[in-house]
């Protein structure tokens, strides 16, 4: 069995760090990831540079990263303007985000969930017409920092409408790291009771449930999971807490369970050191602290 | 469904910290744990004080902790001398450790695995005769820092012989934090294919698999899990790494999945602050950094 690890450190990771990397350092990061085995990388965001200054150099990053067969680059897109930029840079995929919580959607995208879904459906249609693979990510799918609980039925409804609009993939995102395995199972099973569109999960480890959720997703047969090298990313709603699950720790979990990822774990560990140096802090991944196992591996 | 969280911070937690707490601080810790809902606490070790100086005040700690109905105290015991001390202090349970890895056993207990098992069987017989609840913990059950892989069949054989000798409970311990959910399932199912003795798991989060393992244990029907308030403990074989899974993070995981623990999560969080102050460092639990969810909880 194979688990596809989608690398999100260049986008969701770096976007939520206080230190902004140079374009050259971002390109260096992506090059190291590709050399370590990454085949899908969310590399950039085409959100307005005023709103997400850390990602303002999306065009320059995409111009510098290694393009080669078998490596697919994704950019985050929120609207037609973002899609135009994505098309101009030649990304392979777009990831369109819809926040399940209305309050979070208003604060994060200055639009209601319904408005955001309508915009996402337009982007999906246009992106597919242009030949891009399209993912719709349902953010705050496991809970909202403002509203608290988010009903699974609301999340599933957004996912179904996105799939009906033609999205190639639906990604359920635990944006603030509150989810647990029972929710993973319920979203996966709920969606697949009506749809066959490919599923993907995006977990944060903010409350130490991220790897349990990853194992639960695999157990439920969802074999595409996001992760961030070094576990970089953080959480704007819990400033002292950690963010994305770490690529190296997810690879360890998956491969020790007898499945493959296609990555070279020992080539990922130095990337954590690179990121620690660039960000000026110890990154939260555990393998980078404890080393792999067995010792010879 | 109920998950029993066995609190091990006073013993496995403090034993592996570089700062040694005063007897009064240890008693304070245990009192806070009881007030927060702990019903089973591994409070002390009766290993030789020369070998484990941090636990040398076991008698004084046990003389100070609150004794009340519904709270059971365990002490770690390796031999008859330790059992005599345990009996004199009036603990309710003893936990006897057998290391599945011969090399680890020699280095940790100065005895082979077979010698250690023979001693454990003697302790179990004598402890039961004295009316104590007895647990045999199989250490390095998921891997050894010296030998690498440890065969599940060897671990299961030790567990079965301990159960046949009359142990009330078998605890599979991931001493160095290398285990994954497939191993959890295989040990649980393997043991129960031949025995009905109660099972318990002891997980470390050294490589970020501890909570995934906890969820897997629950999924396999093993409802007794060790945890350490604040996640204190560390790992002597990975000095920069973390140790035991954290009580508060395990409670969050379990209760958000709709099960009960009997603990008051909001009363545990200040214990992490207390431990951070006593140990002079930020403890590794995540709930203590990020807060619980939903925000009102």
């Amino acid at each position: 069995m194979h688990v596809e690890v989608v690398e999100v450190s260049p986008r969701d990771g770096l976007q939520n760090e206080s230190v902004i990397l140079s374009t050259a350092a971002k390109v260096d990061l992506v090059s190291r990831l590709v050399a370590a085995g990454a085949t899908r990388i969310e590399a950039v965001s085409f959100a307005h540079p005023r709103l997400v200054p850390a990602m303002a150099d999306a065009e320059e990053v995409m111009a510098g990263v290694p393009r080669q067969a078998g490596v697919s680059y994704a950019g985050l897109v929120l609207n037609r303007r973002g899609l135009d930029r994505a098309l101009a840079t030649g990304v392979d995929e777009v990831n369109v985000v819809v926040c399940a919580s209305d309050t979070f959607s208003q604060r994060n995208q200055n639009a209601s969930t319904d408005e955001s879904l309508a915009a996402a459906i337009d982007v999906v249609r246009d992106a597919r017409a242009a030949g891009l693979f399209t993912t719709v990510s349902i953010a705050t799918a496991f809970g909202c920092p403002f509203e608290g609980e988010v009903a699974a039925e609301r999340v599933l409804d957004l996912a179904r409408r996105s799939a009906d609009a033609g999205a190639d993939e639906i990604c359920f995102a635990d944006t603030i790291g509150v989810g647990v395995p029972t929710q993973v199972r319920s979203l996966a099973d709920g969606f697949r009771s009506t749809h066959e569109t490919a599923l993907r999960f995006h977990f944060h480890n903010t409350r130490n449930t991220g790897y349990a959720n990853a194992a639960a997703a695999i157990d439920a047969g969802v074999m595409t999971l996001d992760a961030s090298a070094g576990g970089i990313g953080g959480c704007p709603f819990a400033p002292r807490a950690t963010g994305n699950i770490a690529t190296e720790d997810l690879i360890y979990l998956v491969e020790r369970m007898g499945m493959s990822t296609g990555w070279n774990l020992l080539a990922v560990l130095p990337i954590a050191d690179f990121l620690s140096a660039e960000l000026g802090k110890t990154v939260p991944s555990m393998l980078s602290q404890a080393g792999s196992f067995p010792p010879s591996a």
Side-chain angles (χ1 to χ4, degrees), chain A residues 60-203:
Chain A
E60 292 78 5
V61 171
M62 281 308 302
V65 299
R67 304 305 296 259
Q68 61 191 66
V71 177
S72 180
Y73 289 100
L76 190 142
V77 161
L78 297 174
N79 50 37
R80 177 71 224 187
R81 170 81 185 104
L83 177 59
D84 288 338
R85 291 177 63 200
L87 290 170
T89 59
V91 294
D92 307 287
E93 314 179 18
V94 292
N95 185 7
V96 197
V97 178
V98 177
C99 300
S101 150
D102 242 336
T103 312
F104 195 95
S105 187
Q106 286 289 359
R107 297 207 191 191
N108 196 255
Q109 300 189 9
N110 198 29
S112 70
T113 298
D114 281 346
E115 289 164 350
S116 175
L117 178 66
I121 287 173
D122 285 346
V123 170
V124 165
R125 183 195 57 233
D126 296 347
R128 291 194 78 216
L132 297 190
F133 185 92
T134 62
T135 302
V136 174
S137 286
I138 313 294
T140 62
F142 294 77
C144 167
F146 310 117
E147 296 186 6
E149 308 289 355
V150 172
E153 270 315 315
R154 179 176 171 87
V155 174
L156 290 171
D157 178 59
L158 295 167
R160 289 174 182 136
R161 287 156 71 187
S162 302
D164 291 342
D168 296 299
E169 179 184 70
I170 301 296
C171 177
F172 292 115
D174 187 8
T175 311
I176 60 167
V178 296
V180 291
T182 44
Q183 292 178 285
V184 175
R185 170 64 77 172
S186 133
L187 289 177
D189 290 354
F191 182 78
R192 289 188 302 202
S193 69
T194 57
H195 286 71
E196 293 183 346
T197 308
L199 280 185
R200 164 179 162 193
F201 277 99
H202 175 98
F203 296 120

Side-chain angles (χ1 to χ4, degrees), chain A residues 224-285:
Chain A
T224 301
L225 299 174
D226 288 3
S228 168
I232 66 165
C235 179
F237 305 99
R240 292 190 300 162
T242 188
N244 294 283
I245 60 172
T247 304
E248 54 268 45
D249 295 359
L250 179 62
I251 293 170
Y252 177 83
L253 173 70
V254 167
E255 298 196 342
R256 286 290 294 169
M257 289 200 288
M259 291 171 281
S260 63
T261 64
W263 287 68
N264 174 357
L265 177 55
L266 294 188
V268 185
L269 296 182
I271 301 179
D273 297 332
F274 165 78
L275 285 167
S276 290
E278 288 286 338
L279 297 171
K281 66 169 195 184
T282 303
V283 298
S285 64

